Amino acid sequence: MPESPPDLVDTKPAAKLFVLATRLLWRDWQGGELRLLFLALVMAVTSVTGIALFTDRLEKALLVESANMLAADRIVSGRGELPREVMTEGQARGLRNAETLSFTSMAFSDTGNMLVAAKAVTEEYPLRGDVIIADAPFVRGRPIQSGPPRGEVWLESRALPALGIEVGDTVYVGEAEFTVSNIIITEPDRAGGSMVDNAGPRLMLHMDDVAATNVVQLGSRISYRFLFAHDDIDELDAFESWFRDQEQWRGRFYIRDVRDESEEVSEALSRAESFLLLGSLSAVLLAGVAIALTAKRYSERHYDYVAILKTLGCTSTQISTIYLTIQLLLACIAVVVGCVLGWLVHQGILSLLQSLLLVELPAAGFEPYVIGTLTAFICLLAFALPPLLALRETPPLRVLRKDMSQQKIGANVPYVFGILGTIFLIYWYSQDLVLTSVLVASVAGIALFLSVVSYLFLRSSGSAGMKAGSAWMLAMTATRRRRSQNVLQVMVFSVTIMSLLVLTLLRTDLIDEWQAQLPQNTPNHFMMNITAGQIDGIEAFFAENGVESNAFYPLISARVTHVNGDVPNPRDEDEDGDGANTITGGAQLDEVDVDPQAAAALAGGDQAGADQQSAGNQLQSAGNQPQAAGNQQAAGNQSQAEGGTRVRGRLSRRQVTWADEVPPDNLITAGTWWGSEPEAGFVSVEEEYASWLGLEIGDRLEFEINRQQISAEVSSFRSVRWDNMQPNFFIIFSPGTIDHLAGTFLSTALMEREQKVLLNDLVRMFPTIVIIEIDALIEQIQSIIAQVTSAIELISILVLLCGALVLLSCVSASLDERFHENAILRTLGAGRKLILSSLLIEFAFIGLVAGCIATVGAEASLYYLQEEIFEQEFSFHYWVWFAGPVLGMIIISGLGMNATRKVVKTSPLNVLRQVV
Amino acid sequence: MPAADNGASHTMIETRNLVKSVDTSEGLLTILKGIDLRIAAGESVAIVGASGSGKSTLLGLMAGLDGATSGDILLDGHSLAEMDEEQRAILRGQLVGFVFQSFQLLPSLTALENVMLPIELKGDPDPRGKARQLLERVGLDERWHHYPNQLSGGEQQRVAIARAFATQARILFADEPTGNLDTATGGKIIDLLFDLNREFATTLVLVTHDERLAQRCDRIVNLVAGEIAGESSPNSITEGRDDRGQEAVNA
């Protein structure tokens, strides 16, 4: 048949190739060839998109919610009346603004009276969040974005029975008369209020009515606040730096933002963010490994395919085009499916958290989808493309000679791309060069270690297995024969199991720690200024009413005057004045002036410790933390210059106590606690405070207490958990040392919401005691921690799924060879039982080795992560040393057996025909 | 491009002092030691020889599936030595069809799609119609939608033969086309192969151990240890084919 001479220019139109590629894609899809690869891609996109969407929205929400805690974006507060220029400047900069003024006052009705925490607000209040009000006491309220109008006040529920009034009745504050128009259930900045705000039930009134009451006069104990808000964070920052530049206000007026509000919350959040980052990184990495494995297997199964295509006249370029098209199509579908699933996952997380989230979450941006999409393509490029592109090198002669191997594909080439892609992804996610290099270096180290160890493990297995029965021998020789393949498998298995162990343990430790930090039964009310004579009465009152009450701590103000006979010389703390100023509130003490006694108790006499943000903070440091004090010192260079004594005097005045036993959550870090028959004259010091003062065990300390000199020997150092919202002390004396000096007592109680009305009776029975209500604060922290915990749980599940996928693809990758080999064994007369048990032993052995290595790796990584990033105490997880290997064995052999079940079910002839 | 005689009698395949060596662990192994062979258009040649005599290697080289160590091959006047793998692939697509011992159908395509594939790759019109026609011709029109693993060996080889003729290749290389089939099925396949070969006036080169198959060819080339040890012409009806191209020069 005559024909024109063939044209050696490539004439196949691109459209034909595309059609061919789609057809191959469809066929491979139907044949199940692409399922795992597709699943891996979808997994990568789903986890990244889901996590990104969730964190995006959660971050926005938490920002909003914490802004609500302040009722503003920035707050200016301080000693005495605030300079008007601050307000003028804020207004000039276009910031929304409001003013509040808190003071304690007596409120009177026709039938009763009580001490209330009054708060006057301007019309604009609150700038963020809602005030929740109701028509009747003790009911669920409705949100409103203002305070009471002129002439009206809103009262907190429990004030009504105490005053014997109802909504609509009249109350008197000072010289003014008001109508109680609403019940105030809560206000946004209730938990973040000052000392004054925690001194009794709230009475909220309009700012313009304050003058008429005539209770606020020079010298009154008043907390002034300017509130500012703006939607542009840059404007806020500019305003803040303007404020900080005003030298004349330094040490007297302070600006704060949401981040400073609660140390516990911000720490929980930053840890949660680290965890989420780590979780999503693990998910991407695991999905990447799954993609690499499945793509490699896919390529291997396509060598013949490509050889045939080549004999049919396909050029290498066309081969690449076809496979590139297939992968891109696959990636596009995976991106769409993954984004949808990711959206669903984040919706799932949200619906779980619905009850906990107090605010409507702001809509997420489109960035999470972009991130998910890019991840899919980067994963594909880094992990899947190299083996697929290697296909073009398939020699066509393979159609004639099966043994023609892929000579040109260096086994390591794909991994180079994978590693580079991984590094890029990590950097891209974390945006942190240090974290990236540390992670890359440690993973590389672990990989190297693992490969050496697993190689040695498998090498030794040969001789070990020879003496056993035949299934054992078969398995061991098989394991040894596929050594290089198995080393890779063990590596993949161990890295996967390791990641899962690390995340699971980290998650457990984090959640445990959080829950231990503020357990459900954390006391939420503090009672101070209790005299020794009142203790029995209070205990009886609580027992009668079913309230859980706690130990009574004696409380007395003391000042360190000499260390070993010398004037104390505290070390300078290397602290940033600004930061700590805001966080531990080293300085906002001046609003605290409730009552000289209570103030002394709270602020530790020197008033340096009264942390205005939360009464809890003040209490935990019944005398402030060294850092905060150090800041105070740093902030007030001037006073240091004037004379060291004054600074030291201020710094070392503390609320001290004495005790028989070590308080809960305290650990002796050096020296010994006094025994069951304690001697007088000893003192136990908090370790950081001790190191700040440069103390050593056996040092002699002299104190000035109630104008008397007391001397005591340092017998132990203690570590204290400052974040447990419980009374904590820097200095504890042994019993008998200072008992004779009159002091007051401090105690705590847990009162549920419905029990709060009991406070009225308590105050009536013991009018001198001061009650600090921190229930709102604790509740808020607990709810945020609960949210974060649920988020972490969900991320862990996602990562677990990714890990399962990797294990599955790794087992499948080794399947073809086993299939063929076992089919031959069966034709040679090996029974099902023999093959099954040999397979079981082989997989179990690989799983055991991987589990052991994973356990070691997990503990090592955890040590690093907890010490360096999560700032947790690392402790060995003994059960993991047993569970890791056993789990590895069970999981791998389970997956392996399930996947290779077909080997023994299909007839050998079929296997041999198909797999040739 | 070298001029080719435009007649039934021109040389379709020519090898010139063809040498193929491979590196092995025991040093350089020369598989083919200077093969000179001319095959005329329309001729059918069987290459026979013991296992390891180099006959499959020779087939692979002639089909352009692999590169020679030295020497040259001319396919319809095109020198393979001057081409890279890309160009050889295009030439294969234009000129060459294959039938393999192990059928080499793409397992994920149906019988019909397998036959359509080379037509699509070549860019010829109406791949579906042509493929259906060919499947009908090999007696599989009922089973066009079946996948290779749903077909018997004989049926798979029929599909392979249909695919080989799909682009109206002018040269057909067959590697043990009956090697995987029983005698009866193999016989039918041989008949089919030669019928189609005659119909399409293809040049057929096959490697085989099957004496019946070799006997059907115009010429039998006997390969021993990488050299042509002798040739014979079976007593077959050549239907007036010109014999000029059968002069094979023994090295």
Side-chain angles (χ1 to χ4, degrees), chain A residues 889-910:
Chain A
M889 205 162 81
I890 293 175
I891 294 173
I892 305 297
S893 44
L895 279 174
M897 290 315 286
N898 186 47
T900 45
R901 225 181 17 200
K902 267 199 290 183
V903 174
V904 285
K905 274 200 177 161
T906 332
S907 84
L909 185 63
N910 272 344

mmCIF file of all heavy atoms in Angstrom, chain A residues 889-910:
data_model
loop_
_atom_site.group_PDB
_atom_site.id
_atom_site.type_symbol
_atom_site.label_atom_id
_atom_site.label_comp_id
_atom_site.label_asym_id
_atom_site.label_seq_id
_atom_site.Cartn_x
_atom_site.Cartn_y
_atom_site.Cartn_z
ATOM 1 N N MET A 889 3.187 -3.080 65.856
ATOM 2 C CA MET A 889 3.061 -4.458 65.402
ATOM 3 C C MET A 889 1.630 -4.747 64.975
ATOM 4 O O MET A 889 1.391 -5.289 63.900
ATOM 5 C CB MET A 889 3.469 -5.385 66.541
ATOM 6 C CG MET A 889 3.940 -6.721 66.115
ATOM 7 S SD MET A 889 4.853 -7.481 67.457
ATOM 8 C CE MET A 889 3.523 -8.120 68.449
ATOM 9 N N ILE A 890 0.687 -4.351 65.834
ATOM 10 C CA ILE A 890 -0.716 -4.669 65.532
ATOM 11 C C ILE A 890 -1.192 -3.916 64.298
ATOM 12 O O ILE A 890 -1.796 -4.495 63.388
ATOM 13 C CB ILE A 890 -1.598 -4.329 66.758
ATOM 14 C CG1 ILE A 890 -1.252 -5.268 67.909
ATOM 15 C CG2 ILE A 890 -3.076 -4.439 66.391
ATOM 16 C CD1 ILE A 890 -1.963 -4.946 69.194
ATOM 17 N N ILE A 891 -0.883 -2.616 64.241
ATOM 18 C CA ILE A 891 -1.388 -1.819 63.127
ATOM 19 C C ILE A 891 -0.809 -2.296 61.799
ATOM 20 O O ILE A 891 -1.528 -2.530 60.830
ATOM 21 C CB ILE A 891 -1.060 -0.323 63.334
ATOM 22 C CG1 ILE A 891 -1.830 0.219 64.535
ATOM 23 C CG2 ILE A 891 -1.400 0.477 62.089
ATOM 24 C CD1 ILE A 891 -1.439 1.620 64.922
ATOM 25 N N ILE A 892 0.515 -2.454 61.771
ATOM 26 C CA ILE A 892 1.153 -2.815 60.499
ATOM 27 C C ILE A 892 0.728 -4.209 60.067
ATOM 28 O O ILE A 892 0.390 -4.446 58.905
ATOM 29 C CB ILE A 892 2.688 -2.749 60.604
ATOM 30 C CG1 ILE A 892 3.129 -1.377 61.086
ATOM 31 C CG2 ILE A 892 3.331 -3.070 59.267
ATOM 32 C CD1 ILE A 892 2.797 -0.246 60.192
ATOM 33 N N SER A 893 0.710 -5.152 61.008
ATOM 34 C CA SER A 893 0.328 -6.492 60.565
ATOM 35 C C SER A 893 -1.149 -6.524 60.195
ATOM 36 O O SER A 893 -1.532 -7.198 59.236
ATOM 37 C CB SER A 893 0.667 -7.550 61.622
ATOM 38 O OG SER A 893 0.297 -7.112 62.901
ATOM 39 N N GLY A 894 -1.971 -5.738 60.906
ATOM 40 C CA GLY A 894 -3.394 -5.676 60.545
ATOM 41 C C GLY A 894 -3.589 -5.139 59.143
ATOM 42 O O GLY A 894 -4.243 -5.764 58.301
ATOM 43 N N LEU A 895 -2.968 -3.984 58.896
ATOM 44 C CA LEU A 895 -3.092 -3.370 57.573
ATOM 45 C C LEU A 895 -2.513 -4.288 56.504
ATOM 46 O O LEU A 895 -3.095 -4.477 55.433
ATOM 47 C CB LEU A 895 -2.334 -2.039 57.538
ATOM 48 C CG LEU A 895 -3.037 -0.828 58.110
ATOM 49 C CD1 LEU A 895 -2.089 0.361 58.117
ATOM 50 C CD2 LEU A 895 -4.281 -0.507 57.287
ATOM 51 N N GLY A 896 -1.361 -4.856 56.810
ATOM 52 C CA GLY A 896 -0.688 -5.707 55.832
ATOM 53 C C GLY A 896 -1.506 -6.933 55.509
ATOM 54 O O GLY A 896 -1.703 -7.276 54.342
ATOM 55 N N MET A 897 -2.029 -7.562 56.536
ATOM 56 C CA MET A 897 -2.808 -8.783 56.306
ATOM 57 C C MET A 897 -4.063 -8.472 55.515
ATOM 58 O O MET A 897 -4.440 -9.205 54.605
ATOM 59 C CB MET A 897 -3.199 -9.427 57.638
ATOM 60 C CG MET A 897 -2.060 -10.045 58.391
ATOM 61 S SD MET A 897 -0.996 -11.020 57.349
ATOM 62 C CE MET A 897 -2.047 -12.446 57.122
ATOM 63 N N ASN A 898 -4.669 -7.351 55.876
ATOM 64 C CA ASN A 898 -5.895 -6.988 55.183
ATOM 65 C C ASN A 898 -5.620 -6.757 53.707
ATOM 66 O O ASN A 898 -6.381 -7.170 52.830
ATOM 67 C CB ASN A 898 -6.473 -5.729 55.831
ATOM 68 C CG ASN A 898 -7.807 -5.378 55.252
ATOM 69 O OD1 ASN A 898 -8.660 -6.261 55.117
ATOM 70 N ND2 ASN A 898 -7.987 -4.131 54.883
ATOM 71 N N ALA A 899 -4.481 -6.105 53.444
ATOM 72 C CA ALA A 899 -4.174 -5.773 52.051
ATOM 73 C C ALA A 899 -3.734 -7.002 51.262
ATOM 74 O O ALA A 899 -3.977 -7.109 50.070
ATOM 75 C CB ALA A 899 -3.092 -4.700 52.003
ATOM 76 N N THR A 900 -3.070 -7.926 51.938
ATOM 77 C CA THR A 900 -2.544 -9.069 51.194
ATOM 78 C C THR A 900 -3.458 -10.287 51.265
ATOM 79 O O THR A 900 -3.121 -11.334 50.748
ATOM 80 C CB THR A 900 -1.155 -9.483 51.733
ATOM 81 O OG1 THR A 900 -1.218 -9.496 53.149
ATOM 82 C CG2 THR A 900 -0.104 -8.507 51.277
ATOM 83 N N ARG A 901 -4.589 -10.103 51.893
ATOM 84 C CA ARG A 901 -5.535 -11.216 51.963
ATOM 85 C C ARG A 901 -5.820 -11.757 50.578
ATOM 86 O O ARG A 901 -5.956 -12.934 50.360
ATOM 87 C CB ARG A 901 -6.825 -10.745 52.615
ATOM 88 C CG ARG A 901 -7.366 -11.684 53.645
ATOM 89 C CD ARG A 901 -8.618 -11.095 54.170
ATOM 90 N NE ARG A 901 -9.090 -10.058 53.241
ATOM 91 C CZ ARG A 901 -9.934 -9.103 53.555
ATOM 92 N NH1 ARG A 901 -10.410 -9.055 54.760
ATOM 93 N NH2 ARG A 901 -10.311 -8.210 52.681
ATOM 94 N N LYS A 902 -5.883 -10.823 49.633
ATOM 95 C CA LYS A 902 -6.163 -11.203 48.252
ATOM 96 C C LYS A 902 -5.136 -12.185 47.708
ATOM 97 O O LYS A 902 -5.442 -13.006 46.864
ATOM 98 C CB LYS A 902 -6.173 -9.938 47.370
ATOM 99 C CG LYS A 902 -7.544 -9.331 47.206
ATOM 100 C CD LYS A 902 -7.564 -8.411 45.997
ATOM 101 C CE LYS A 902 -6.738 -7.165 46.249
ATOM 102 N NZ LYS A 902 -6.769 -6.200 45.174
ATOM 103 N N VAL A 903 -3.902 -12.037 48.214
ATOM 104 C CA VAL A 903 -2.826 -12.875 47.705
ATOM 105 C C VAL A 903 -3.206 -14.347 47.796
ATOM 106 O O VAL A 903 -3.008 -15.116 46.874
ATOM 107 C CB VAL A 903 -1.527 -12.623 48.496
ATOM 108 C CG1 VAL A 903 -0.445 -13.588 48.058
ATOM 109 C CG2 VAL A 903 -1.072 -11.200 48.284
ATOM 110 N N VAL A 904 -3.779 -14.685 48.936
ATOM 111 C CA VAL A 904 -4.088 -16.102 49.100
ATOM 112 C C VAL A 904 -5.473 -16.450 48.568
ATOM 113 O O VAL A 904 -5.778 -17.611 48.371
ATOM 114 C CB VAL A 904 -3.960 -16.539 50.572
ATOM 115 C CG1 VAL A 904 -2.489 -16.655 50.913
ATOM 116 C CG2 VAL A 904 -4.654 -15.557 51.476
ATOM 117 N N LYS A 905 -6.282 -15.431 48.348
ATOM 118 C CA LYS A 905 -7.640 -15.726 47.876
ATOM 119 C C LYS A 905 -7.687 -15.927 46.362
ATOM 120 O O LYS A 905 -8.408 -16.774 45.867
ATOM 121 C CB LYS A 905 -8.584 -14.593 48.285
ATOM 122 C CG LYS A 905 -9.138 -14.767 49.686
ATOM 123 C CD LYS A 905 -10.379 -13.935 49.854
ATOM 124 C CE LYS A 905 -10.997 -14.161 51.239
ATOM 125 N NZ LYS A 905 -11.894 -13.077 51.598
ATOM 126 N N THR A 906 -6.937 -15.089 45.655
ATOM 127 C CA THR A 906 -6.950 -15.189 44.200
ATOM 128 C C THR A 906 -6.184 -16.444 43.786
ATOM 129 O O THR A 906 -5.242 -16.842 44.457
ATOM 130 C CB THR A 906 -6.243 -13.979 43.592
ATOM 131 O OG1 THR A 906 -6.376 -12.881 44.477
ATOM 132 C CG2 THR A 906 -6.815 -13.632 42.244
ATOM 133 N N SER A 907 -6.601 -17.020 42.660
ATOM 134 C CA SER A 907 -5.882 -18.205 42.215
ATOM 135 C C SER A 907 -4.518 -17.778 41.714
ATOM 136 O O SER A 907 -4.365 -16.717 41.118
ATOM 137 C CB SER A 907 -6.651 -18.908 41.096
ATOM 138 O OG SER A 907 -6.352 -18.298 39.868
ATOM 139 N N PRO A 908 -3.513 -18.620 41.973
ATOM 140 C CA PRO A 908 -2.143 -18.255 41.580
ATOM 141 C C PRO A 908 -2.069 -17.938 40.084
ATOM 142 O O PRO A 908 -1.346 -17.033 39.685
ATOM 143 C CB PRO A 908 -1.343 -19.508 41.897
ATOM 144 C CG PRO A 908 -2.149 -20.269 42.867
ATOM 145 C CD PRO A 908 -3.579 -19.926 42.619
ATOM 146 N N LEU A 909 -2.832 -18.670 39.295
ATOM 147 C CA LEU A 909 -2.758 -18.463 37.849
ATOM 148 C C LEU A 909 -3.173 -17.024 37.516
ATOM 149 O O LEU A 909 -2.509 -16.327 36.749
ATOM 150 C CB LEU A 909 -3.670 -19.448 37.122
ATOM 151 C CG LEU A 909 -3.560 -19.366 35.603
ATOM 152 C CD1 LEU A 909 -2.153 -19.750 35.152
ATOM 153 C CD2 LEU A 909 -4.612 -20.236 34.928
ATOM 154 N N ASN A 910 -4.266 -16.610 38.138
ATOM 155 C CA ASN A 910 -4.730 -15.246 37.889
ATOM 156 C C ASN A 910 -3.680 -14.222 38.268
ATOM 157 O O ASN A 910 -3.443 -13.272 37.527
ATOM 158 C CB ASN A 910 -6.002 -14.970 38.692
ATOM 159 C CG ASN A 910 -7.221 -15.382 37.910
ATOM 160 O OD1 ASN A 910 -7.121 -15.583 36.696
ATOM 161 N ND2 ASN A 910 -8.341 -15.523 38.586
#
